[in-house]
Amino acid sequence: MGTSGYIVTGVLPQLSGELSVSLSTVGLLTTSFAVAYAIGSPLLAVALGGWRRHRLIVAALLVAAVGNALAAIAPHFGVLLAARIVTAMGAAVFTPAATAVAAELSGPERRARAAAWVFGGLVTATIVGVPAGSLLVGPLGYRGVFWLVAGICALAAAAVAVAVPEVAAPPRVTLRRRVEVASDPRVLVVLGITLAASLGVFTVYTYVAPLLADTVGAHGTGLSLLLFGYGIGGAIGNVVGGVAADRYGYRLPLLVAVSGSVISLSLLSVVHSTALVAVLLFTWGVSSWAFNPPVQRRLIELSPSAVSLLLALNASALYLGIGLSGVVGGAVLDHVGIGAVALTGAGLCLVAVVVQVLTGRHSAAQPSGITV
């Protein structure tokens, strides 16, 4: 599912060339996926709230498989854009459901780590999926890459059907009730941090291929290796973030993680050594993927009884940031240049740091009135 969402990053230059559209226009494929996810997640959660979780996860994976297959046969950019929206509908259902199931199957003291394992699949997409896509687009073409991802989604659906135990469906929650839950000030702060941090990270990640081509001349295998380093850092950060959140609470791990992205992205904008860029991509990977487990821990603390609802809202904020990143990064690329993209991402992450610092003194964990 993660590869479905991020694969455009690895094949961005090829899509631009073969479809005869600009890089910023191709970036809209990431935007359409993420915005459709952000809007679809709460709406589909209401519509499908009565489904058994097991069936829901399998169906979501199959929808993603269909979306990727449609992308593989799309005759022009418009159909490809629609295919990305179909794929996003599968992801919008899958991620909150899978995270809630993992939390339900784990004890309270391991919930952040359980959520981190689910999001570890998204990290694996940056380790394997995106670099593999940029490497395989040469021999397979971008259509072959989309076919490959469609097949993986279908295999994942079969694996879930066989191996994942059933978990009872949560109580149905109306869209109006979801809006009420989201209006809690503490929830809004957490969602704001998620939005700012994801917008900052993915403003850069969406255009990382042209950025690395400009700064260190990375293409082909060299680009894949650099992206692989980012993914390895992400895998480590995801695990460390989950363990740290369970051990120290959410505040300090979250502050360290987002501050790390500010520093890494600021330096990435001025460094032109391949070795140093590799180090920065690794550290950026650690920090950019370490921030989500503490956020999820905070939401679980706010209301364990509304965990599925709050995780769905957080996922919407995450993907809204990803969606807006294509627009923000594209505007910077078109009007300022590729060199300003990393600094823009650093500035947006800094906003998340400032929000946390200003609100942290009033946000100590305490029982919430949020119920469902």
Side-chain angles (χ1 to χ4, degrees), residues 285-347:
V286 172
S287 60
S288 64
W289 283 97
F291 97 92
N292 201 57
V295 164
Q296 292 178 319
R297 163 94 183 197
R298 173 58 171 165
L299 293 173
I300 292 170
E301 288 177 350
L302 283 174
S303 182
S305 64
V307 60
S308 297
L309 171 57
L310 294 178
L311 291 176
L313 290 171
N314 186 62
S316 289
L318 178 70
Y319 276 88
L320 179 60
I322 295 173
L324 293 174
S325 71
V327 177
V328 172
V332 173
L333 180 65
D334 288 342
H335 295 96
V336 184
I338 191 65
V341 170
L343 278 179
T344 301

Side-chain angles (χ1 to χ4, degrees), residues 185-187 189-190 193 250-252 254 298 301-302 355-366:
R186 292 167 298 172
V187 172
V189 167
V190 175
I193 291 172
Y250 84 98
R251 294 174 63 185
L252 179 60
L254 179 57
R298 173 58 171 165
E301 288 177 350
L302 283 174
V355 170
Q356 187 188 355
V357 170
L358 292 180
T359 60
R361 68 188 65 182
H362 306 295
S363 62
Q366 53 185 315

Side-chain angles (χ1 to χ4, degrees), residues 14-342:
Q14 289 74 20
L15 282 167
S16 176
E18 293 190 34
L19 297 174
S20 299
V21 294
S22 67
L23 287 172
S24 58
T25 299
V26 176
L28 293 177
L29 295 175
T30 299
T31 300
S32 64
F33 180 98
V35 171
Y37 182 112
I39 296 172
S41 185
L43 296 177
L44 291 171
V46 172
L48 304 175
W51 281 42
R52 293 162 52 195
R53 301 296 92 180
H54 188 272
R55 181 186 301 175
L56 191 61
I57 293 173
V58 171
L61 284 162
L62 292 177
V63 169
V66 170
N68 281 290
L70 181 60
I73 62 175
H76 54 75
F77 184 79
V79 176
L80 183 56
L81 198 67
R84 296 295 292 163
I85 294 174
V86 172
T87 306
M89 293 299 98
V93 171
F94 173 85
T95 304
T99 305
V101 167
E104 183 70 21
L105 293 174
S106 303
E109 73 283 356
R110 295 181 59 86
R111 282 179 171 175
R113 273 171 279 188
W117 274 108
V118 174
F119 271 78
L122 303 183
V123 181
T124 302
T126 67
I127 299 173
V128 179
V130 175
S134 67
L135 192 62
L136 294 174
V137 72
L140 298 181
Y142 78 83
R143 297 182 187 275
V145 171
F146 278 118
W147 276 121
L148 183 61
V149 177
I152 293 171
C153 286
L155 289 174
V160 170
V162 172
V164 175
E166 184 58 86
V167 172
R172 292 182 65 91
V173 183
T174 65
L175 183 59
R176 179 178 179 179
R177 185 59 186 142
R178 290 175 181 273
V179 173
E180 292 175 355
V181 170
S183 66
D184 183 286
R186 292 167 298 172
V187 172
L188 291 175
V189 167
V190 175
L191 297 181
I193 291 172
T194 295
L195 176 61
S198 63
L199 177 58
V201 167
F202 283 92
T203 289
V204 183
Y205 192 72
T206 299
Y207 296 99
V208 71
L211 174 64
L212 295 179
D214 179 73
T215 56
V216 293
H219 299 88
T221 302
L223 174 62
S224 298
L225 289 174
L226 288 172
L227 293 177
F228 182 75
Y230 171 88
I232 291 294
I236 294 172
N238 184 63
V239 173
V240 170
V243 172
D246 280 334
R247 181 172 299 178
Y248 302 110
Y250 84 98
R251 294 174 63 185
L252 179 60
L254 179 57
L255 182 61
V256 171
V258 183
S259 298
S261 288
V262 173
I263 296 170
S264 298
L265 292 177
S266 298
L267 294 174
L268 192 62
S269 65
V270 297
V271 170
H272 296 278
S273 163
T274 301
L276 290 178
V277 165
V279 172
L280 288 173
L281 286 173
F282 174 81
T283 57
W284 177 39
V286 172
S287 60
S288 64
W289 283 97
F291 97 92
N292 201 57
V295 164
Q296 292 178 319
R297 163 94 183 197
R298 173 58 171 165
L299 293 173
I300 292 170
E301 288 177 350
L302 283 174
S303 182
S305 64
V307 60
S308 297
L309 171 57
L310 294 178
L311 291 176
L313 290 171
N314 186 62
S316 289
L318 178 70
Y319 276 88
L320 179 60
I322 295 173
L324 293 174
S325 71
V327 177
V328 172
V332 173
L333 180 65
D334 288 342
H335 295 96
V336 184
I338 191 65
V341 170

